[in-house]
Amino acid sequence: SLKMASDSPESLMTLCTDYCLRNLEGTLCYLLDNETLRLHPDIFLPSEICDKLVNEYVELVKTDSVFEPHESFFTLFSDPRSTRLARIHLREQIVQDQDLEAIRKQDLVELYLTNCEKLTAKSLQTLVSFSHTLISLSLFGCCNIFYEEENPGGCEDDCLVNPTRQVLVKDFTFEGFSRLRFLNLGRLIEGVNVETLLRPLASLAALDLSGIQLNDVGFLTQWKDSLVSLVLYNMDLSEEHIQVIAQLRKLRHLDISRDHLSSYYKFKLTRRVLNLFVENLVNLTSLDISGHTMLENCTIPSMEEKMGQTSIEPAKSSIAPFRGLKRPLQFLGLFETSLCRLTHIPAYKVSGDKNEEQVLNAIEAYTEHRPEITSRAINLLFDIARIERCSQLLRALQLVITALKCHKDDKNIQVTGSAALFYLTNSEYRMEQSVKLRRQVIQVVLNGMESYQEVTVQRNCCLTLCNFSIPEELEFQYRRVNELLLNILNQSRQDESIQRIAVHLCNALVCQVDNDHKEAVGKMGFVMTMLKLIQKKLADKTCDQVMEFSWSALWNITDETPDNCEMFLNYSGMKLFLECLKEFPEKQELHRNMLGLLGNVAEVKELRPQLMTSQFISVFSNLLESKADGIEVSYNACGVLSHIMFDGPEAWGICEPHREDVVKRMWAAIQSWDINSRRNINYRSFEPILRLLPQGISPVSQHWATWALYNLVSVYPDKYCPLLIKEGGIPLLKDMIKMASARQETKEMARKVIEHCSNFKEENMDTSR
């Protein structure tokens, strides 16, 4: 099989970084005065390690709900003698002025601040301390960094009358930033004079002014000999802008794209403008004109266009102005333009909406800074995944995961991304996905469920989880998944379809897991939640899948878990059981689930006295005659009574019905069952059944246990013969055959069980030498 890019294990560096960040106190740090983190004095870390620690820390705070941020984290890097920082990427609300202030002595080369809305003008002053080393700087979306708080009165009492005002800082410039080459000022707030701000920079190579409206960009010509990349996304252009751009002859990357939904633009792109770019910008390798309306037709007549094989040769270009290119472009952005649907496009990579390749290129190019475009591109991918088959599945999955992680709080991306994940993880793609990739999907799905109480996101996330093997694939996040599902089910107003999926998932999660998992989930309120759902359905007189799944989930979670059985009784579970029997006398599946659960309760010796009432015993006795669901209901009722009988006559604290009468009905029931019945039951252990064998107080319980074993080893030998042998059942059966109190027919059956198991062993002996 081909090794997938995403399947390579994490590097040792990544694993160590992750471990240290999750255990700072036990690894790099100690706690001073029980509150402040301090670096151990003998630690010296190079920038390769420090950069990774800071960047991974930001990632963890952003995407892992379990990870606790530390107030004093950035102070660990305050002293360049023990820690070195060079290239760091900080995002969103995680960073505040004091965090940057803490690392001001570091010689930063690259500082990306993306959407850090908590930074104010105090951080502008901190930037100055990096001015002599900084080569790359991004202030994208840091909308408050040019504001400072001004207290007009300046005295204590006055503050109450005049609260602080936000005042725009006008005198800051990049004076002294002599090495700065790459600058991103995207989404800078209005009122800051960009020209004055930038004038001191001697030789800019890359500038991003996304989302800023400048009527005069003449000042850009001062860098006509150095500027290789210019981004003017969402700037409304004019003829003057075009003339200035055409003079920037060193440009290799030009982006004048726009969001065609964002506002009304006067500017229309023409054939002449594209010709001007092709003639003047001879070094151009990347051009983005996404979202533009073409004023006139600049395509080649369709007869000529359709000829021959698809080609990226400029000479054959379907877009006339690009026939003047010396060589194909590396990248051409045509998303949401009519041009992307043409046949011959002279570029190696095109973003557009024509096919999967173009759509994936769009998601890749725009995710970081343009969520509004990305969510529309993911929507297109969703349609492709839903209707056709994705040919670049792994790339598609990774791009959607990245977008969901990057824009955890963007509702549009969460809705479209979670919907796309559902189709990208379904069974037909299963074989192509690694464990690591599927775990990443689960993580972002859970993030979405945590951040959004919104119905569509919740439904998409729950449906996506159904594409996984449960509980195996979800076990690494076991507590978290359960908490989220219970949270959904406890909401007072609940969408019916989400409720159904969530109960189904809850049921699957408690099936086939260890008892400590079941206990933990019980303590989280699982039993109570299921009983509440049952109560609600009873009040509506509805027996639907939610009702059946809820009882099934209770059956699973009480299996060999006494604490949960006790919880069931304490929260009036028996009352609900009787009410459901009465309200839904014909619902066989429901009866089976309820009696399976009561079988678990009856296995707990301390709880059996609570079942010892005339009402309950009568109900169990009457259910012995039930033909519901084959033998399941009758079998489970008999199992409950077998455990109660096992406590002996002195535990029978009721007058009606008589113990002997019930025993007779049990014998009659067992004799009526077909020994070859296919079963709707799954035993992980025979221990509760085996404990009924070595005793003489209740021969009927002994007989029920032997019948159960005989049925299971005959019908499912591969599964149950090894289990019976492993759990020491054979010696117990042999001893029972010697007991005087055991009935003859029970002994006969026991012999057959032993014979079955020894035949099974012989058949499966490995005879190869």
Side-chain angles (χ1 to χ4, degrees), residues 224-492:
K224 64 177 189 293
D225 295 327
S226 64
L227 206 60
V228 292
S229 168
L230 177 64
V231 179
L232 305 177
Y233 169 70
N234 266 356
M235 187 181 288
D236 197 7
L237 306 171
S238 65
E239 185 53 37
E240 287 73 38
H241 288 80
I242 300 301
Q243 291 307 324
V244 169
I245 293 168
Q247 293 175 54
L248 306 173
R249 298 189 165 240
K250 291 278 171 64
L251 277 187
R252 292 205 290 270
H253 170 62
L254 171 64
D255 182 344
I256 54 165
S257 64
R258 62 190 194 192
D259 175 359
H260 77 105
L261 297 181
S262 75
S263 62
Y264 174 72
Y265 289 107
K266 295 183 286 296
F267 181 78
K268 301 279 192 290
L269 207 50
T270 61
R271 197 181 187 133
R272 187 186 59 79
V273 170
L274 291 183
N275 276 326
L276 192 68
F277 288 164
V278 170
E279 280 164 32
N280 289 282
L281 309 177
V282 292
N283 298 313
L284 213 54
T285 59
S286 164
L287 173 67
D288 202 330
I289 54 173
S290 296
H292 275 279
T293 314
M294 293 302 297
L295 191 58
E296 71 236 320
N297 187 2
C298 63
T299 58
I300 298 298
S302 59
M303 283 296 294
E304 194 182 332
E305 198 231 339
K306 289 282 178 282
M307 280 166 53
Q309 290 250 268
T310 308
S311 167
I312 61 164
E313 282 308 310
K316 291 188 180 162
S317 170
S318 303
I319 306 164
F322 294 148
R323 290 194 160 188
L325 288 166
K326 303 278 179 292
R327 57 199 158 298
L329 294 169
Q330 294 295 324
F331 176 84
L332 177 57
L334 299 176
F335 189 69
E336 295 179 322
T337 66
S338 54
L339 300 176
C340 70
R341 294 186 195 89
L342 297 169
T343 308
H344 308 302
I345 300 177
Y348 293 101
K349 220 175 198 180
V350 178
S351 74
D353 46 34
K354 174 182 171 184
N355 53 27
E356 183 184 351
E357 170 68 20
Q358 288 190 359
V359 167
L360 292 177
N361 290 340
I363 299 172
E364 190 168 36
Y366 309 129
T367 289
E368 171 93 81
H369 293 125
R370 301 178 195 175
E372 62 285 0
I373 307 275
T374 307
S375 73
R376 301 205 292 270
I378 293 176
N379 209 19
L380 292 166
L381 175 66
F382 161 74
D383 282 334
I384 294 168
R386 186 170 54 100
I387 300 160
E388 310 163 33
R389 192 185 153 80
C390 269
S391 53
Q392 301 185 46
L393 174 76
L394 295 178
R395 183 177 171 215
L397 251 182
Q398 289 190 297
L399 288 172
V400 173
I401 289 170
T402 304
L404 283 165
K405 274 176 142 178
C406 189
H407 300 287
K408 200 169 142 196
D409 304 320
D410 184 301
K411 185 182 153 189
N412 290 335
I413 284 192
Q414 291 300 320
V415 170
T416 53
S418 58
L421 281 185
F422 170 68
Y423 286 102
L424 293 169
T425 52
N426 70 17
S427 50
E428 65 168 316
Y429 296 128
R430 184 65 182 276
M431 296 311 293
E432 303 170 44
Q433 294 165 10
S434 66
V435 172
K436 181 173 152 189
L437 192 61
R438 285 178 76 80
R439 284 192 165 193
Q440 286 179 333
V441 173
I442 291 165
Q443 295 274 28
V444 294
V445 164
L446 299 180
N447 286 344
M449 286 168 78
E450 246 153 14
S451 311
Y452 276 89
Q453 299 310 311
E454 206 271 335
V455 175
T456 323
V457 175
Q458 298 271 346
R459 188 185 300 115
N460 292 348
C461 290
C462 285
L463 280 169
T464 301
L465 291 178
C466 293
N467 286 336
F468 290 82
S469 305
I470 304 171
E472 302 78 14
E473 289 194 279
L474 298 183
E475 234 174 316
F476 78 110
Q477 292 279 294
Y478 197 74
R479 271 196 78 93
R480 192 174 165 210
V481 180
N482 275 295
E483 270 171 7
L484 284 166
L485 291 171
L486 292 180
N487 184 30
I488 285 177
L489 290 171
N490 282 322
Q491 286 162 18
S492 49

Side-chain angles (χ1 to χ4, degrees), residues 97 173 469 475 707 732:
D97 291 327
T173 71
S469 305
E475 234 174 316
W707 189 96
L732 286 173

Side-chain angles (χ1 to χ4, degrees), residues 485-538:
L485 291 171
L486 292 180
N487 184 30
I488 285 177
L489 290 171
N490 282 322
Q491 286 162 18
S492 49
R493 290 180 53 221
Q494 191 44 267
D495 177 89
E496 188 67 33
S497 61
I498 298 186
Q499 199 176 58
R500 197 168 58 246
I501 307 160
V503 176
H504 160 72
L505 284 166
C506 279
N507 189 15
L509 277 163
V510 290
C511 192
Q512 305 291 310
V513 287
D514 298 339
N515 294 13
D516 52 348
H517 273 333
K518 292 184 183 182
E519 270 178 33
V521 175
K523 290 195 178 77
M524 279 156 55
F526 190 99
V527 177
M528 175 87 112
T529 302
M530 293 303 145
L531 289 169
K532 270 195 209 154
L533 287 175
I534 292 166
Q535 177 88 57
K536 223 163 159 184
K537 291 291 171 190
L538 245 176

Side-chain angles (χ1 to χ4, degrees), residues 108-127:
L108 291 184
V109 175
E110 186 175 291
L111 173 61
Y112 290 160
L113 303 170
T114 308
N115 295 325
C116 299
E117 294 176 2
K118 287 199 171 171
L119 297 182
T120 69
K122 286 183 186 149
S123 288
L124 282 181
Q125 294 319 307
T126 309
L127 286 183

Side-chain angles (χ1 to χ4, degrees), residues 42-302:
D42 50 355
I43 282 181
F44 301 94
L45 299 173
S47 62
E48 289 81 355
I49 291 176
C50 294
D51 290 350
K52 201 159 172 59
L53 282 167
V54 170
N55 296 335
E56 283 300 310
Y57 170 82
V58 172
E59 187 67 14
L60 277 176
V61 175
K62 197 169 169 335
T63 59
D64 187 335
S65 62
V66 190
F67 184 77
E68 284 293 316
H70 296 278
E71 193 99 320
S72 50
F73 178 75
F74 285 89
T75 57
L76 302 177
F77 305 92
S78 56
D79 187 351
R81 288 171 303 187
S82 54
T83 52
R84 288 282 168 88
L85 288 174
R87 296 179 166 79
I88 58 173
H89 298 208
L90 310 179
R91 302 187 69 90
E92 290 166 35
Q93 275 63 20
I94 299 163
V95 233
Q96 307 192 23
D97 291 327
Q98 62 266 30
D99 299 324
L100 272 190
E101 172 73 8
I103 56 170
R104 71 183 185 284
K105 292 183 182 161
Q106 294 287 355
D107 290 339
L108 291 184
V109 175
E110 186 175 291
L111 173 61
Y112 290 160
L113 303 170
T114 308
N115 295 325
C116 299
E117 294 176 2
K118 287 199 171 171
L119 297 182
T120 69
K122 286 183 186 149
S123 288
L124 282 181
Q125 294 319 307
T126 309
L127 286 183
V128 175
S129 46
F130 308 126
S131 60
H132 58 293
T133 52
L134 218 46
I135 292 174
S136 293
L137 172 66
S138 169
L139 300 178
F140 182 88
C142 298
C143 52
N144 294 310
I145 200 161
F146 279 87
Y147 280 112
E148 63 185 347
E149 289 184 350
E150 185 188 68
N151 180 354
C155 81
E156 293 296 315
D157 304 329
D158 205 30
C159 298
L160 302 172
V161 190
N162 289 319
T164 52
R165 284 188 306 158
Q166 297 289 326
V167 183
L168 196 59
V169 172
K170 300 241 172 128
D171 54 357
F172 178 83
T173 71
F174 286 110
E175 188 66 56
F177 285 72
S178 54
R179 304 181 64 183
L180 198 60
R181 297 287 177 276
F182 303 89
L183 179 61
N184 184 340
L185 295 176
R187 306 223 331 259
L188 186 72
I189 42 114
E190 277 184 42
V192 176
N193 186 325
V194 180
E195 185 178 347
T196 316
L197 186 67
L198 300 181
R199 192 177 295 122
L201 298 174
S203 43
L204 265 184
L207 180 62
D208 187 327
L209 299 173
S210 294
I212 303 172
Q213 191 46 52
L214 295 177
N215 296 327
D216 178 11
V217 289
F219 65 90
L220 293 176
T221 54
Q222 66 179 310
W223 299 293
K224 64 177 189 293
D225 295 327
S226 64
L227 206 60
V228 292
S229 168
L230 177 64
V231 179
L232 305 177
Y233 169 70
N234 266 356
M235 187 181 288
D236 197 7
L237 306 171
S238 65
E239 185 53 37
E240 287 73 38
H241 288 80
I242 300 301
Q243 291 307 324
V244 169
I245 293 168
Q247 293 175 54
L248 306 173
R249 298 189 165 240
K250 291 278 171 64
L251 277 187
R252 292 205 290 270
H253 170 62
L254 171 64
D255 182 344
I256 54 165
S257 64
R258 62 190 194 192
D259 175 359
H260 77 105
L261 297 181
S262 75
S263 62
Y264 174 72
Y265 289 107
K266 295 183 286 296
F267 181 78
K268 301 279 192 290
L269 207 50
T270 61
R271 197 181 187 133
R272 187 186 59 79
V273 170
L274 291 183
N275 276 326
L276 192 68
F277 288 164
V278 170
E279 280 164 32
N280 289 282
L281 309 177
V282 292
N283 298 313
L284 213 54
T285 59
S286 164
L287 173 67
D288 202 330
I289 54 173
S290 296
H292 275 279
T293 314
M294 293 302 297
L295 191 58
E296 71 236 320
N297 187 2
C298 63
T299 58
I300 298 298
S302 59

